[in-house]
Amino acid sequence: MTVRRDFKEPAGCRPDQVIGREELFTAAREQLGRGGSVLLHGPAGIGKSTVLRALAGEYGGAARTVLRCSPTESESHLPFLALADLLGLVLDEVSERLPAAQRTALESALTGRGESTLQRDGLALRLAVLSALRALADTGPVLVVADDLQWLDPASAELLGFAARRLGDTPVRMLCAVRTEGEEYDRHLRASPPDTLAVRLGPLSRAQLSALLDHRGYTGLPRSTVRDIHRTSGGNALFALELGRALAENPTPPRPGEPLPVPTSLRALVLNRLEMLSEEARRTLLVASAGARPTLALLHEAGRANAEAETAQAAELGLLATEPEGPAVRFAHPMISAALYAEAPAQDRRAAHAALSTAASDPIERARHLALATHGTDPEAAARLAEAAALARDRGAPSVAAQLGLLAARHTPADGPPSPELMRLAAAEDAITAGELDLARDIAREVLSRTTVPEDRVRAWIIVIDTAGHAMTEVDAIFPQALADAGDDPRLLALVHYQLTWRALLVEGDFDEARGEAAYAAELAARAGDRYTELMALAFQAQIETLMGHPDAPATIRRALEEPQDPRVACHHNGAGYSRFRWLIMSDQLAEARATVTALLREVRRRGSVESEVHFLRGVAETELHSGHCSRALDLARESLRLARDTGIGEVASAVLTSLAEAAGGDVDRALELAREAVAHAEEDGDQMYVSRALAALGHAQLVAGDVAAAVRSLRRVREVEQGLGITDPARGRWHGDLAEALVRSGEIAEAQDVIDGTRELALRLDRESVLAVLDRAEALIRAARGQHDAAAAQLTSAQDRLGKLGYSLEEARAAFALAQLRSDTAGPTSYDEAARLFRRCRALPWLRQVEVAAAARPVEAAPTPTPTPASAPDGLDGLDGLASMERQVAALVMEGATNREIAARLFISVKTVEATLTRVYRKLGIRSRVDIVRLAAGRRTT
């Protein structure tokens, strides 16, 4: 089919909707932009056609002619059919421009009139296709779009490959997609030009798949369900969307522990070979699909005597991928297991689970299979499930514990102790620990609809409040109901007042009120003998007092650490251990802070507490950032952000910290993007605490990016918000030095001095030595601006030394940088080597680039060297000796043929920085373009 200039694709295929494929899409787009060709490959349903349509939609408009074919398996035996799709509508346009023999052969092949074959008219046909493409290209660029290349009839594939290998510089681009398994795509490159870029599309991540489901309208799915869809689909976009559709159309969700419902369309797709199995082999595979980790030994124990032969038969049909030397029985794709289970009758499923309930060696697995084999209430099954849930909890598998708890509730009689509602509440609390907040909220709402018992209702209300996270305004109406259900019971009231502490902090922004609520909750819990809640309230009170700079903070921490302790509090992210970590890091005790939070992270990972893991990952990252280990901090911060987004826990906090880490050791543009995202979300949640933290991160990124005016605006807002909240400890956000520096650079000297004086008073009272050193660094800039250069240099030298001794390596390097700039401005010694060395040690790439730019722009005392003319430009790599380090790196990558976007990715800088650096390179070398740089590398003179 031929499409002219008005070629358009459906709106749904626009590049901005190629979810999860942005990086691959960019690489393919750049290849097409260079005049090259692209071959997309990957397994069925992975999204190749979507990406192909998006690319064709973007580049079709730039081509005068678009030739398209999409062969099918049923038509792949028809010779020349794909060629007819490609060239049929342009035959009249090009036929007169072909030699007679070629024209006759091509018309015969495309129209079916005659007996043209490759054997008889092979050379004429091959030349005719090549000539036809060249003739079309004479009037403008040609884009050949071929989907499902694996179904291309052999004759068309041979002719297209012959022409593709001989097109040379002819403006014909090929954009093809082919279904492959693994990396076996080489044979399909024969139908593509020699320089074709092969792009493999792999599985989507869970976050990408979640975005795809949301985009297609399957919104509101619990995160646990999205996790199950991702696991079952193997990250395959088609499979995931079909599973999402089946869930949307099915009014009854699957029972806990059961696989997802598999729609008929996918069953047919993945089970078309099942009919070739014997009935006994199908039963064996059903038992394997019901098992969590099936092995041949397990199948034997479950009564499948001929498991070896039956699984071997399934493996030959491609249903299993059994390891030759290992005991595991592994399905070729998770969808095969899910579809096989969904296809089986209910009684056969129960029989498989019954067999596994005695065959499995693990007590958790035995209990799960017993539940799925049992109908109705069964006290014995419920008791075994409750024991299994406790075992899973102890093993650090709270998600498994939640599922087992729900199964226990299903089989618990309504009048039996413990009640089904207590089972459900325990399951909801396990779900919170596992980070499955949607599931926990749904369970709690179900309990509230079922029970009138005050204790159960208060516990359910607390779960609903907990799952709201920092978006406390969404659950504000719950507190009066929870207080009413609590009555005058001090234990229940302590639970509610502990949550009111969070409300006072996040909704009201009132630290005094929050401190009072925490103290009252601790008092109520102590009166009721609830040591867990008492310790949690004391730990929270200590955190609030630390942020306030309250003198009682150390004493409250000691109270929270007194015996007897509760092991659940010791490693909780709101427990005394974390309160102590925050006090240590704000008191400049970095080594002890790192040891404390690292131990906490290790323990919560063992326990499987996802929410605490997100918090402690941020804590370790923050410590590494303060210590100047920017690369390590960036890795940890990114890990925290990925986990936060997967679970919906602490996304704003993780985005804030990742922004700071990106500004220190990564991509400043990404830092700005994350900070703006965090500000927007915090404002939407009404969370003033994190509004201030997000604004501080934004102001810092703006300062690093060189946007001083924007940094001043953001950091002034931080000051206003924190004054309103009552936050007085300057070690909490450490933004004061940035504000003072930005004010100096924008000419607001008096205001900068006011910021420094006011902050210094607080830092002296609280003994915040690192804050005082940073303030001295900022004050030195004021002195330099007033012409007091010697005093400024002395103050910067002192600040650098103190920051180094305290272990704040990045802040030490910033002081060294300021000192080098001061000396450069006063025409004294102008070496930036010390600052560059310190930033390099920290791997603080954005700061290192600033040093290189400043060093390249410094005054030169020697007689100036005349700017080289194009005729005298130096040859080869020796011509780069006069460039700064960053300029040499960029030029060297240009010599390798890298694009600006590729250079930016490899050097962790923005494309704009690459462009600006190249402009300086051109000026210094006396050349005009990238081509001239390549000529230098080849040892030729520019012309």
Side-chain angles (χ1 to χ4, degrees):
M1 176 172 63
T2 303
V3 186
R4 294 296 183 189
R5 294 174 185 270
D6 60 348
F7 176 89
K8 292 182 180 178
E9 287 288 344
C13 299
R14 293 198 309 272
D16 61 347
Q17 295 178 357
V18 184
I19 295 171
R21 307 298 187 190
E22 293 81 4
E23 187 174 337
L24 297 178
F25 187 86
T26 298
R29 183 171 56 188
E30 290 181 349
Q31 171 75 355
L32 291 170
R34 289 191 293 265
S37 297
V38 173
L39 176 68
L40 307 169
H41 66 100
I46 205 68
K48 302 180 298 297
S49 296
T50 300
V51 175
L52 180 135
R53 287 194 298 270
L55 288 166
E58 181 163 336
Y59 282 93
R64 181 185 180 276
T65 306
V66 177
L67 308 176
R68 189 180 186 102
C69 71
S70 185
T72 62
E73 182 178 12
S74 62
E75 298 171 340
S76 60
H77 66 286
L78 300 174
F80 308 121
L81 182 61
L83 192 67
D85 287 341
L86 289 170
L87 298 177
L89 296 182
V90 295
L91 183 59
D92 292 341
E93 180 180 339
V94 299
S95 61
E96 295 302 321
R97 301 166 63 183
L98 303 180
Q102 295 180 24
R103 180 171 63 252
T104 300
L106 186 59
E107 288 177 347
S108 177
L110 298 187
T111 62
R113 297 192 298 269
E115 296 294 332
S116 181
T117 65
L118 274 180
Q119 289 74 21
R120 193 181 73 182
D121 302 318
L123 181 58
L125 269 175
R126 287 174 172 84
L127 293 175
V129 174
L130 177 60
S131 299
L133 291 174
R134 285 175 173 167
L136 290 170
D138 285 343
T139 59
V142 176
L143 178 65
V144 178
V145 182
D147 200 0
D148 284 321
L149 207 62
Q150 73 277 1
W151 305 131
L152 208 65
D153 63 273
S156 296
E158 170 62 26
L159 294 172
L160 197 59
F162 176 87
R165 292 189 293 273
R166 290 163 176 81
L167 285 169
D169 294 332
T170 306
V172 176
R173 290 173 293 181
M174 297 188 67
L175 175 58
C176 306
V178 61
R179 182 187 304 176
T180 58
E181 297 296 336
E183 296 293 328
E184 299 174 0
Y185 61 89
D186 290 348
R187 65 188 181 89
H188 299 288
L189 288 173
R190 290 180 300 182
S192 303
D195 63 343
T196 296
L197 173 68
V199 178
R200 175 167 178 77
L201 275 69
L204 295 174
S205 69
R206 191 196 306 181
Q208 292 166 344
L209 189 143
S210 177
L212 176 64
L213 290 167
D214 286 345
H215 177 70
R216 296 299 180 91
Y218 303 121
T219 57
L221 291 174
R223 292 179 186 272
S224 56
T225 301
V226 173
R227 179 198 61 200
D228 290 342
I229 291 176
H230 183 258
R231 183 184 64 246
T232 303
S233 68
N236 184 290
L238 172 65
F239 293 173
L241 290 170
E242 286 296 299
L243 289 168
R245 182 178 61 80
L247 284 167
E249 294 174 353
N250 188 353
T252 305
R255 295 170 59 189
E258 285 189 345
L260 297 174
V262 180
T264 304
S265 58
L266 289 186
R267 295 187 201 181
L269 180 64
V270 300
L271 296 180
N272 54 0
R273 286 160 288 186
L274 193 63
E275 297 300 325
M276 302 175 67
L277 286 175
S278 66
E279 182 65 27
E280 288 303 306
R282 290 179 67 171
R283 290 184 181 277
T284 295
L285 287 194
L286 175 60
V287 174
S289 72
R293 292 173 296 278
T295 63
L296 289 172
L298 178 65
L299 294 176
H300 279 299
E301 288 293 325
R304 309 311 303 165
N306 298 316
E308 285 90 347
E310 290 160 353
T311 55
Q313 181 188 4
E316 289 178 5
L317 294 173
L319 294 167
L320 291 181
T322 307
E323 301 295 335
E325 303 299 329
V329 177
R330 184 167 59 86
F331 284 89
H333 191 281
M335 275 299 307
I336 297 175
S337 174
L340 180 65
Y341 188 93
E343 186 80 7
Q347 63 270 24
D348 290 352
R349 294 187 212 169
R350 286 195 295 273
H353 286 297
L356 289 168
S357 69
T358 57
S361 59
D362 185 83
I364 292 176
E365 275 300 292
R366 288 200 300 271
R368 183 178 75 89
H369 289 301
L370 176 63
L372 295 173
T374 303
H375 259 320
T377 59
D378 186 323
E380 181 183 351
R384 286 181 57 183
L385 285 163
E387 292 172 3
L391 180 58
R393 197 176 298 123
D394 290 342
R395 287 182 181 178
S399 180
V400 175
Q403 296 296 330
L404 292 168
L406 288 175
L407 287 170
R410 184 184 294 272
H411 294 294
T412 299
D415 56 352
S419 71
E421 308 316 323
L422 286 178
M423 294 287 193
R424 291 188 176 92
L425 289 169
E429 289 163 352
D430 285 326
I432 289 179
T433 302
E436 298 179 8
L437 303 186
D438 295 332
L439 176 61
R441 187 184 304 111
D442 290 344
I443 296 171
R445 294 286 188 187
E446 182 182 359
V447 169
L448 287 166
S449 69
R450 290 171 176 266
T451 185
T452 58
V453 177
E455 181 175 353
D456 293 351
R457 291 185 61 81
V458 169
R459 195 169 159 191
W461 287 126
I462 298 303
I463 291 169
V464 174
I465 294 169
D466 273 343
T467 58
H470 283 230
M472 295 289 283
T473 53
E474 297 179 3
V475 294
D476 207 28
I478 285 177
F479 289 101
Q481 301 176 66
L483 286 169
D485 283 328
D488 56 2
D489 186 327
R491 185 169 61 85
L492 299 181
L493 285 170
L495 295 173
V496 180
H497 280 280
Y498 176 76
Q499 296 295 337
L500 283 168
T501 305
W502 284 100
R503 182 187 179 280
L505 198 64
L506 300 178
V507 178
E508 301 297 333
D510 190 328
F511 273 65
D512 287 324
E513 182 183 346
R515 179 173 177 265
E517 287 285 2
Y520 185 45
E523 178 190 330
L524 287 167
R527 194 189 313 164
D530 181 357
R531 184 62 173 163
Y532 172 83
T533 303
E534 180 188 5
L535 290 173
M536 290 293 291
L538 285 171
F540 198 10
Q541 180 183 342
Q543 285 198 51
I544 295 167
E545 290 173 348
T546 300
L547 291 173
M548 296 173 69
H550 198 285
D552 290 350
T556 307
I557 292 175
R558 286 194 294 272
R559 285 181 61 201
L561 290 170
E562 288 175 356
E563 296 293 340
Q565 283 291 310
D566 186 311
R568 294 172 297 169
V569 179
C571 61
H572 194 281
H573 56 274
N574 288 319
Y578 192 68
S579 298
R580 182 170 178 271
F581 160 72
R582 293 250 45 102
W583 184 80
L584 287 168
I585 201 168
M586 293 172 70
S587 302
D588 299 328
Q589 301 181 54
L590 295 183
E592 194 171 353
R594 180 189 291 108
T596 298
V597 75
T598 301
L600 289 169
L601 177 61
R602 189 183 305 116
E603 178 61 18
V604 298
R605 280 177 165 166
R606 186 188 70 80
R607 291 171 176 261
S609 178
V610 176
E611 185 171 7
S612 292
E613 181 180 357
V614 173
H615 277 72
F616 296 151
L617 271 171
R618 288 200 303 269
V620 179
E622 182 182 354
T623 309
E624 298 292 356
L625 192 58
H626 286 320
S627 303
H629 305 149
C630 297
S631 180
R632 170 73 172 151
L634 185 56
D635 288 343
L636 288 164
R638 287 172 174 171
E639 183 182 354
S640 168
L641 184 58
R642 283 193 298 271
L643 187 58
R645 285 180 168 168
D646 278 349
T647 59
I649 295 172
E651 292 181 72
V652 172
S654 293
V656 166
L657 187 64
T658 308
S659 172
L660 292 169
E662 292 282 1
D667 184 338
V668 179
D669 289 339
R670 178 62 175 153
L672 291 165
E673 178 186 343
L674 285 169
R676 292 187 180 109
E677 173 189 314
V679 171
H681 287 172
E683 289 178 337
E684 182 181 342
D685 292 342
D687 183 350
Q688 291 300 299
M689 280 270 292
Y690 270 97
V691 167
S692 73
R693 298 198 67 177
L695 283 169
L698 178 59
H700 177 73
Q702 289 164 335
L703 183 63
V704 176
D707 192 348
V708 176
V712 168
R713 289 194 297 271
S714 297
L715 296 172
R716 278 174 173 163
R717 281 192 62 196
V718 177
R719 181 173 56 183
E720 294 170 4
V721 172
E722 293 203 353
Q723 285 175 349
L725 289 172
I727 297 174
T728 59
D729 194 329
R732 183 254 185 182
R734 298 179 182 270
W735 49 266
H736 311 75
D738 282 345
L739 175 56
E741 181 177 336
L743 287 167
V744 172
R745 290 167 61 180
S746 62
E748 302 287 346
I749 304 297
E751 184 181 351
Q753 189 66 62
D754 288 343
V755 170
I756 291 169
D757 291 343
T759 309
R760 181 178 283 127
E761 182 181 345
L762 295 170
L764 284 168
R765 178 171 64 82
L766 296 169
D767 194 25
R768 303 301 191 224
E769 180 59 31
S770 63
V771 174
L772 290 168
V774 168
L775 292 174
D776 280 352
R777 185 185 68 205
E779 189 170 50
L781 302 181
I782 295 177
R783 290 182 169 176
R786 290 171 174 166
Q788 302 167 9
H789 299 296
D790 291 342
Q795 195 167 18
L796 284 170
T797 302
S798 171
Q800 179 184 342
D801 181 61
R802 287 150 58 202
L803 287 165
K805 289 178 179 177
L806 288 168
Y808 288 82
S809 298
L810 183 58
E811 298 296 346
E812 175 192 5
R814 287 181 64 180
F817 185 25
L819 184 59
Q821 288 176 308
L822 174 67
R823 289 171 173 167
S824 177
D825 291 343
T826 57
T830 56
S831 174
Y832 284 86
D833 291 347
E834 174 69 1
R837 181 185 68 80
L838 292 173
F839 281 131
R840 194 174 293 111
R841 184 182 69 184
C842 295
R843 292 194 57 78
L845 301 180
W847 288 103
L848 187 59
R849 289 174 205 121
Q850 288 193 32
V851 172
E852 291 170 343
V853 170
R858 67 187 179 183
V860 179
E861 298 178 5
T865 302
T867 302
T869 63
S872 63
D875 288 336
L877 295 175
D878 292 340
L880 304 184
D881 289 344
L883 302 180
S885 173
M886 176 59 66
E887 294 165 352
R888 286 197 301 274
Q889 292 180 65
V890 170
L893 289 172
V894 169
M895 291 174 181
E896 295 176 11
T899 65
N900 286 3
R901 188 177 294 275
E902 290 167 343
I903 294 170
R906 289 175 66 174
L907 297 181
F908 303 99
I909 57 179
S910 68
V911 174
K912 288 183 179 179
T913 302
V914 175
E915 294 167 351
T917 304
L918 278 175
T919 299
R920 293 195 301 273
V921 171
Y922 299 156
R923 184 176 66 250
K924 290 183 179 183
L925 296 182
I927 59 178
R928 298 184 181 88
S929 68
R930 299 167 63 97
V931 175
D932 294 333
I933 297 179
V934 176
R935 286 173 177 163
L936 287 177
R940 298 185 231 137
R941 295 184 180 278
T942 58
T943 59

